[in-house]
Amino acid sequence: MKIPVFAMCLASLLLSGAAPAQPTPPVPDAAPSCQDSDQEFAERAETMIAAGIEAQRAKFAASAPLLKPDPDLIKMARQRACDMIHGTPLSQTDAQGRFVADDMVHARFGPYGTVGETIMEMDGKRPLGSAAFAKATLESWMADPDDRADILNPAFAAGGMGVAKLGNEAVAVQILYGQGQKQPSAPCQGSDQAFAQKAEALIIEGIDGERAQLAPDAPRLKPDPELTRIARLRSCDMAHGADFSHTDGEGNFIAGEMVEQRFGRYGATGENIMKMGSSLAPGVATRPFGPEEFARVAVDGWMKSPGHRENILNSRYDLSGIGVAMVDGQAFATQIFRGPPRQAAPNSGRRGTDIPPDR
């Protein structure tokens, strides 16, 4: 008897990071002056922090490109620092949990690319000097493992630094940007593209239906081109011999690292995978199947598995990408989920820590 065989697996990981940080010398007239801020202090501190970060980057990440000062990023960083010095919560996220700098940068540069932000605040009882503030900011960012990783991240090639000071309080904001891939990846070699495209559309339709019925309060999963690209790469790799697994040989969450390169070190990432067509028993053949059957088996199988079902119905996720590859009679499907970072605690310049659940 010829039977189609399928298998599936899931992963869910909450990635978080203290937000990226890096330098960029001030650009004249990059932004209007912050009301009541000590502009001389701000300009000196911006220059010193930027120089210090470039020195650390040159020392510990020699292959990383120099951070090019970008007038738009500088304007955004200065506006963020000014807003916070005037009472906006010291947080990377707004009241809805969305990463403020990410929205600002993507509104200017488009939906592709990696964005990072690091915030530093000092509120002393004694007068604060620009050199002392710059030194404390640099030391704090380099001492934190996530901040340090962002500072040395070669994916970032442009940055903007902003500082604002009122009385004895000073705030520094660094916004980083790395350009993403603007074109879809090439079709998977040897894959039946008509099958893949039809199956992807049907899986999306099925998942949207399940989510609307069983999690009506959850946001609709918005298709994201970068997540779709990553999902297709994952399915293609597995169709061509990569392990049917969420992790590599060192235990690293493969999709998580790929998503991090696009979205930065914060937020929630989940992955469901499945395959159909490879016989699990020696000598047992498989029969042909179409994209309709494959999509139905994928959605039904995921919904019957508690872990996969949890990913599909999780209200934390608001973005998704589906990728299918069909090579030599074997079909693979990958769905990658993405959600924004949780809102940081009040008066905190860092993102709240997300604890990765068991995969």
Side-chain angles (χ1 to χ4, degrees), residues 195-208 232 295 322 324:
F195 178 103
Q197 291 174 8
K198 179 67 172 177
E200 287 175 0
L202 291 172
I203 292 173
I204 291 172
E205 181 180 333
I207 295 296
D208 285 349
R232 287 172 175 169
I322 299 282
V324 170

Side-chain angles (χ1 to χ4, degrees), residues 36-53:
D36 301 325
S37 175
D38 183 337
Q39 295 304 308
E40 183 178 353
F41 174 101
E43 291 176 5
R44 288 200 306 265
E46 287 173 0
T47 300
M48 286 186 282
I49 297 170
I53 289 179

Side-chain angles (χ1 to χ4, degrees), residues 23-355:
T24 48
V27 172
D29 301 323
S33 297
C34 180
Q35 184 178 0
D36 301 325
S37 175
D38 183 337
Q39 295 304 308
E40 183 178 353
F41 174 101
E43 291 176 5
R44 288 200 306 265
E46 287 173 0
T47 300
M48 286 186 282
I49 297 170
I53 289 179
E54 286 294 5
Q56 295 296 318
R57 197 169 163 98
K59 181 178 181 181
F60 296 108
S63 61
L66 290 175
L67 288 171
K68 180 180 179 181
D70 182 272
D72 288 309
L73 296 179
I74 294 168
K75 180 178 180 180
M76 295 173 200
R78 288 177 174 173
Q79 184 62 57
R80 290 278 289 143
C82 185
D83 288 346
M84 285 184 276
I85 205 75
H86 283 289
T88 297
L90 194 74
S91 172
Q92 277 101 0
T93 57
D94 61 17
Q96 288 70 48
R98 297 198 62 83
F99 185 35
V100 180
D102 188 271
D103 289 344
M104 295 171 70
V105 172
H106 287 143
R108 165 62 182 84
F109 294 95
Y112 297 91
T114 303
V115 180
E117 179 186 57
T118 292
I119 300 171
M120 171 68 177
E121 187 262 355
M122 286 185 68
D123 188 3
K125 298 183 181 299
R126 296 181 298 176
L128 182 66
S130 57
F133 177 69
K135 182 174 183 291
T137 297
L138 182 62
E139 290 178 349
S140 174
W141 286 343
M142 289 300 294
D144 181 272
D146 291 318
D147 286 347
R148 178 187 176 93
D150 289 321
I151 288 172
L152 304 181
N153 190 342
F156 294 122
M161 174 69 69
V163 171
K165 179 178 183 290
L166 281 178
N168 293 335
E169 181 183 6
V171 174
V173 175
Q174 175 76 49
I175 296 178
L176 303 174
Y177 178 70
Q179 189 174 22
Q181 179 173 332
K182 295 187 177 181
Q183 299 296 328
S185 56
C188 179
Q189 184 176 3
S191 177
D192 183 334
Q193 293 304 306
F195 178 103
Q197 291 174 8
K198 179 67 172 177
E200 287 175 0
L202 291 172
I203 292 173
I204 291 172
E205 181 180 333
I207 295 296
D208 285 349
E210 296 287 352
R211 193 171 167 98
Q213 180 181 355
L214 300 175
D217 295 332
R220 184 179 182 277
L221 290 172
K222 180 181 178 181
D224 181 88
E226 281 292 282
L227 295 182
T228 299
R229 180 182 67 84
I230 294 169
R232 287 172 175 169
L233 285 173
R234 289 279 291 135
S235 290
C236 185
D237 286 346
M238 289 184 286
H240 284 284
D243 289 342
F244 182 68
S245 172
H246 299 290
T247 58
D248 61 18
E250 286 71 47
N252 299 310
F253 182 25
I254 302 169
E257 293 188 347
M258 296 171 75
V259 171
E260 182 180 314
Q261 289 298 314
R262 157 62 179 87
F263 292 88
R265 305 169 69 84
Y266 44 81
T269 300
E271 180 186 59
N272 287 350
I273 59 177
M274 71 90 63
K275 64 178 178 178
M276 182 173 171
S278 58
S279 176
L280 300 181
V284 179
T286 61
R287 64 168 171 78
F289 54 90
E292 295 84 1
E293 181 181 0
F294 177 68
R296 176 179 55 78
V297 171
V299 176
D300 289 349
W302 284 340
M303 289 303 296
K304 290 176 181 177
S305 165
H308 297 85
R309 179 188 178 95
E310 181 180 354
N311 270 349
I312 290 170
L313 302 182
N314 192 338
S315 61
R316 178 79 184 276
Y317 298 131
D318 58 1
L319 300 177
S320 174
I322 299 282
V324 170
M326 167 60 119
V327 178
D328 294 333
Q330 297 187 76
F332 293 78
T334 301
Q335 181 168 22
I336 296 179
F337 305 87
R338 183 67 180 174
R342 296 189 188 280
Q343 186 176 6
N347 301 319
S348 170
R350 301 187 183 281
R351 296 188 179 88
T353 300
D354 285 326
I355 302 175

